[in-house]
């Protein structure tokens, strides 16, 4: 691409090697989660939420299980000030939930922030100022010492106003644009703030290290976090927090590796809403842990309901391929994928194993409120026999023989390909009923009578060319006798009759279903299905369906029977 020389690495590696996080295989416990949907997320909306919408969203966050929620920047907006006051005045904050508010290091803003917090039982007051080289040089045009003075002054003011305000307040400091800051300077400014606040075991301080702009590969961010974790003063009394953005599409990876590197807390939003490419997606982070058998301490058992409310309140759309939440993320259109999923689901039922290992499905969709029907396997021209058979079995109780699935699969794919659309389960069912079940042209089965005398003698009534006729046959069983009658009296040759039957348990009471496959002279196998209240009659109908299929497939001429029906 052109202009590649315009860009440099733009980040700072730690001055000492920080790679202990690489020795860890996985995250063992959930961090403290802090939702910033109502601040970072809301400010990034084309149409920010009004007070009523923010309140409904706040209630949803409580239901999901967040114990820390950043509710806004009360000194910057009357709407956010009013929202905070409503939460406090109407006692809408549960005792086990801590609200968080944001403030710059400016006295009139800090003063108004604490005025807005009057009456709150507890809150996190989040102080920030920008520390990166770009911000120092281009925006503030200040030296490192002057930037430190801003942070220290703010820390002192927080301490002063907290002492004058009733309530329990925890302090948080963010060196905004941390990822563009020299690591030694980031450490210095954080330690200067900690020296002011003097954290203790009973009064811990949060140091939040934001990837305000994601600038490096995730392993670099992890090394930066580990360096800070190893060198922060008062470390045992510091809660190390992350706030990754997603500019490079690595927000989730940044957060996961940052947790391996020592972070104990994560700030993010549902589905990654936020400025530019957004904040880290807490839904994905939490369910990634869930997929490893770690309880994320958040409730995403009904993802569809959360998405519905999220989309209505934010006017944003969760992409169809968004991890876990997207409409299509558990869906297989590919034939080989469908076949593997169908076999995996059947294997799981048979084996009753503890751990989820179904191919192509990271977690069980039902654990987060998704349905097997319509979510896992959907049918288009790329689909295969396994998935198509799975749909019929799950939705309608029709368990096709394995050998028959290929034949039916081609029928379905041909329809989808011709119509250039996805086929719904009812479409698949209609194709099956039309092309395979109780076929009655050109030979229509009417009735049969059978007697047994060492072998079966059967008289079959049929209708062909608008004329009712009788066929007689002998065989080892009733179906064999009828098959012999068809071949002998109609002059039709086939071999290798394959037969299967079962009760149709879904939606049709005790109706029986039978499947028959017959092989023509050219080697093609023709399948038919019969449905009837009587199991034997369903078998006969399946045989006639297969015969009619073979006649239509190879345009076989049918001889006139030897035995016309006597009137």
């Amino acid at each position: 691409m052109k202009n590649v020389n315009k860009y440099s690495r733009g980040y700072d590696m730690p001055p000492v090697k920080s790679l202990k996080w690489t020795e860890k295989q996985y995250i063992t416990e959930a961090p403290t989660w802090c939702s910033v949907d109502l601040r970072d997320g809301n400010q990034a909306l084309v149409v920010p939420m009004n007070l009523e919408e923010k309140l409904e969203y706040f209630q949803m966050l409580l239901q999901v299980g967040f114990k820390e929620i950043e509710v806004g920047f009360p000194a910057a907006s009357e709407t956010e000030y009013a929202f905070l006051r409503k939460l406090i005045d109407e006692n809408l904050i549960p005792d086990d939930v801590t609200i968080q508010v944001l403030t710059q290091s400016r006295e009139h803003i800090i003063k108004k922030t604490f005025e807005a917090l009057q009456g709150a039982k507890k809150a996190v007051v989040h102080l920030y100022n920008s520390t990166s080289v770009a911000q120092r040089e281009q925006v503030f045009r200040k030296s490192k010492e002057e930037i430190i003075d801003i942070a220290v002054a703010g820390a002192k003011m927080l301490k002063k106003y907290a002492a004058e305000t009733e309530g329990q307040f925890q302090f948080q400091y963010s060196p905004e644009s941390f990822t563009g800051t020299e690591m030694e300077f980031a450490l210095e400014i954080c330690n200067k703030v900690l020296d002011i606040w003097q954290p203790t075991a009973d009064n811990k301080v949060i140091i939040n290290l934001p990837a305000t702009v994601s600038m490096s590969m995730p392993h670099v961010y992890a090394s930066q976090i580990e360096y800070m974790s190893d060198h922060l003063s008062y470390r045992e009394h510091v809660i190390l927090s992350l706030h990754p953005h997603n500019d490079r599409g690595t927000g989730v990876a940044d957060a996961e590796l940052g947790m391996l590197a020592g972070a104990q807390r994560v700030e993010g939003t549902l589905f990654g809403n936020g400025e530019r490419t957004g904040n880290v997606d807490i839904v994905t982070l939490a369910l990634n842990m869930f997929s490893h058998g770690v309880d994320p301490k958040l409730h995403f058992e009904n993802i569809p309901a959360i998405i519905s409310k999220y989309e209505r309140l934010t006017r944003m759309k969760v992409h169809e391929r968004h991890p876990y939440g997207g409409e299509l993320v558990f869906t297989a259109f590919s034939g080989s994928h469908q076949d593997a999923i169908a076999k995996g689901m059947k294997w799981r039922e048979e084996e009753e194993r503890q751990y989820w290992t179904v191919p192509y499905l990271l977690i069980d969709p039902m654990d987060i409120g998704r349905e097997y029907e319509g979510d896992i396997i959907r049918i288009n021209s790329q689909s295969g026999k396994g998935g198509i058979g799975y749909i019929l079995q799950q939705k309608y109780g029709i368990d096709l023989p394995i050998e028959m699935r290929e034949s039916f699969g081609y029928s379905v794919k041909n329809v989808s390909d011709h119509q250039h659309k996805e086929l719904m389960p009812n479409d698949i069912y209609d194709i099956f009923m039309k092309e395979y079940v109780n076929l009655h042209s050109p030979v229509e089965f009417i009735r049969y009578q059978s007697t047994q005398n060492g072998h079966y003698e059967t008289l079959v009534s049929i209708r062909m060319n608008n004329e009712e006729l009788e066929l007689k046959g002998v065989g080892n069983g009733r179906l064999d006798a009828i098959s012999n009658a068809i071949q002998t009296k109609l002059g039709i040759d086939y071999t290798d009759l394959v037969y299967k039957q079962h009760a149709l348990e879904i939606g049709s009471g005790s109706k029986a279903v039978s499947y028959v496959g017959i092989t023509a002279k050219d080697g093609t196998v023709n399948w038919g299905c019969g449905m009837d209240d009587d199991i034997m009659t369903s078998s006969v109908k399946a045989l006639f369906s297969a015969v009619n299929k073979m006649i239509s497939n190879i345009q076989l001429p049918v001889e006139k029977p030897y035995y016309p029906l006597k009137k």
Side-chain angles (χ1 to χ4, degrees):
M1 289 180 63
K2 296 179 180 179
N3 301 323
V4 68
N5 293 327
K6 183 188 294 185
Y7 303 97
S8 67
R9 61 187 178 88
Y11 57 84
D12 196 79
M13 284 291 285
V16 296
K17 194 172 184 178
S18 299
L19 295 172
K20 294 191 298 294
W21 61 269
T22 63
E23 300 170 5
K24 300 176 183 178
Q25 189 173 1
Y26 48 81
I27 298 165
T28 57
E29 61 180 347
T32 298
W33 301 108
C34 178
S35 162
V36 295
D37 291 79
L38 296 173
R39 200 267 302 174
D40 256 27
N42 187 57
Q43 76 178 17
L45 297 176
V46 175
V47 181
M49 289 180 275
N50 60 35
L51 192 146
E52 290 74 20
E53 290 171 332
K54 290 184 75 172
L55 182 58
E56 186 177 356
Y57 203 105
F58 179 78
Q59 296 294 338
M60 178 176 69
L61 294 173
L62 295 179
Q63 293 168 3
V64 169
F66 284 98
K67 300 303 179 184
E68 294 186 10
I69 302 173
E70 188 166 83
V71 296
F73 196 148
S77 163
E78 285 304 316
T79 301
E80 298 200 3
Y81 187 98
F83 176 60
L84 175 57
R85 290 311 313 166
K86 184 177 183 67
L87 293 177
I88 296 171
D89 293 339
E90 297 185 17
N91 197 29
L92 299 175
I93 307 167
D95 290 341
D96 63 343
V97 172
T98 302
I99 57 170
Q100 177 171 301
V101 293
L102 188 69
T103 181
Q104 294 173 334
S105 183
R106 301 168 68 183
E107 185 164 12
H108 72 282
I109 292 178
I110 293 172
K111 181 180 179 181
K112 188 170 183 178
T113 298
F114 278 94
E115 289 174 358
L117 287 169
Q118 289 283 349
K121 296 176 183 178
K122 57 183 178 179
V124 172
V125 184
H126 180 186
L127 173 72
Y128 77 96
N129 69 304
S130 199
T131 60
S132 69
V133 176
Q135 292 272 6
R136 294 196 317 260
E137 293 179 348
Q138 301 172 39
V139 180
F140 299 104
R141 303 198 176 198
K142 292 183 181 295
S143 66
K144 290 181 179 179
E145 291 73 22
E146 290 174 308
I147 295 296
I148 290 175
D149 288 343
I150 292 172
V152 168
K156 290 178 179 178
M157 286 185 280
L158 253 64
K159 197 170 183 179
K160 171 181 179 293
Y161 282 101
E164 298 172 357
T165 307
E166 184 179 354
Q168 180 182 344
F169 301 106
Q170 184 176 26
F171 299 149
Q172 172 173 325
Y173 175 68
S174 290
E176 193 204 4
S177 59
F178 164 77
T179 46
T181 305
E182 308 93 322
M183 288 298 102
E184 290 174 292
F185 179 56
L187 179 65
E188 180 184 4
I189 197 168
C190 287
N191 281 336
K192 292 286 188 180
V193 170
L194 289 172
D195 285 338
I196 302 298
W197 287 340
Q198 296 285 312
T200 65
D202 296 327
N203 188 25
K204 292 186 176 182
V205 163
I206 301 169
I207 293 295
N208 186 56
L209 303 176
T212 307
V213 178
S214 176
M215 304 173 73
S216 68
M217 294 178 68
H219 74 287
V220 173
Y221 185 59
S223 295
Q224 293 170 339
I225 298 302
E226 186 171 272
Y227 169 74
M228 296 292 288
S229 179
D230 287 346
H231 295 88
L232 280 171
S233 302
Y234 314 93
R235 181 63 184 92
E236 68 273 22
H237 305 318
V238 171
I239 299 169
L240 191 58
S241 177
L242 306 175
H243 185 110
H245 280 247
N246 199 41
D247 302 85
R248 301 181 74 255
T250 59
V252 168
D254 288 340
E256 289 183 329
L257 298 190
M259 282 187 274
L260 291 180
Q264 301 143 287
R265 181 178 183 269
V266 175
E267 295 185 347
T269 60
L270 299 182
F271 306 110
N273 181 36
E275 295 281 11
R276 307 180 310 278
T277 55
N279 290 57
V280 69
D281 174 17
I282 287 182
V283 178
T284 299
L285 275 175
L287 291 177
N288 279 356
M289 293 180 198
F290 180 74
S291 75
H292 284 172
V294 177
D295 185 357
K297 307 298 184 182
L298 294 174
H299 300 292
F300 293 119
E301 292 89 351
N302 192 348
I303 283 285
I306 294 172
I307 290 175
S308 177
K309 187 169 290 188
Y310 168 86
E311 292 185 335
R312 175 170 56 83
L313 295 175
T314 65
R315 302 164 186 86
M316 299 282 284
K317 172 69 176 173
V318 175
H319 192 275
E320 291 86 349
R321 298 294 182 188
H322 194 103
Y324 301 105
E327 180 185 352
L328 299 177
V329 296
F330 294 109
T331 301
F333 289 103
S334 161
S336 61
H337 289 204
Q338 291 175 346
D339 186 59
I341 290 171
K343 289 175 179 175
M345 297 289 283
K346 186 175 181 61
W347 182 88
R348 180 171 173 79
E349 291 176 4
E350 295 170 350
E351 296 293 328
E352 297 182 356
R353 296 298 179 94
Q354 176 183 356
Y355 296 112
W356 178 265
T357 58
V358 175
Y360 297 110
L361 296 179
L362 179 61
I363 65 171
D364 186 344
M366 294 191 72
D367 287 337
I368 58 172
R370 304 291 294 268
E371 298 293 335
Y372 292 148
E373 178 187 316
D375 266 343
I376 295 182
I377 291 176
R378 289 164 60 173
I379 305 303
N380 62 17
S381 61
Q382 304 302 308
S383 303
K385 59 185 180 181
I388 293 168
Y390 180 84
I391 291 289
L392 277 185
Q393 183 175 9
Q394 292 294 312
K395 178 72 174 176
Y396 302 103
I398 298 172
D399 186 13
L400 300 182
I402 293 176
E403 303 89 345
M404 186 180 183
R405 293 186 180 191
E406 183 171 2
S407 170
F408 181 55
Y410 283 120
S411 297
V412 171
K413 291 203 293 184
N414 286 339
V415 172
S416 178
D417 192 37
H418 179 72
Q419 297 182 2
H420 302 288
K421 70 172 188 176
E422 177 187 355
L423 298 179
M424 297 296 105
N426 62 295
D427 297 322
I428 296 166
Y429 179 78
D430 290 344
I431 294 170
F432 181 69
M433 295 297 292
K434 178 181 178 181
E435 295 194 13
Y436 290 87
V437 181
N438 296 350
L439 303 183
H440 52 76
S441 177
V443 183
E444 180 182 0
F445 164 71
I446 300 175
R447 71 184 74 87
Y448 78 94
Q449 294 178 342
S450 183
T451 59
Q452 183 179 10
N453 184 17
H455 54 267
Y456 285 87
E457 296 181 358
T458 306
L459 183 65
V460 186
S461 298
I462 65 169
R463 181 177 288 108
M464 191 172 65
N465 299 325
N466 295 320
E467 184 179 3
E468 192 170 323
L469 309 166
E470 285 185 344
L471 312 178
K472 292 182 180 179
V474 178
N476 296 324
R478 284 174 289 187
L479 191 63
D480 182 51
I482 294 170
S483 176
N484 289 337
I486 292 172
Q487 293 190 75
T488 302
K489 308 307 179 183
L490 296 184
I492 298 174
D493 291 329
Y494 55 81
T495 58
D496 301 328
L497 189 148
V498 181
Y499 171 68
K500 177 185 175 180
Q501 64 185 29
H502 65 81
L504 190 62
E505 298 176 346
I506 298 178
S508 299
S510 60
K511 187 179 288 291
V513 183
S514 298
Y515 313 92
V516 168
I518 55 177
T519 303
K521 282 185 177 181
D522 63 0
T524 58
V525 180
N526 299 272
W527 286 94
C529 176
M531 294 186 182
D532 196 87
D533 293 335
D534 175 70
I535 187 66
M536 187 59 211
T537 303
S538 75
S539 303
V540 177
K541 288 182 176 180
L543 174 60
F544 273 91
S545 294
V547 168
N548 282 319
K549 196 81 171 173
M550 185 176 75
I551 293 171
S552 62
N553 282 344
I554 61 178
Q555 299 178 342
L556 187 71
V558 180
E559 296 184 9
K560 188 172 182 178
Y562 295 155
Y563 300 98
L565 184 67
K566 295 180 180 179
K567 300 182 179 179

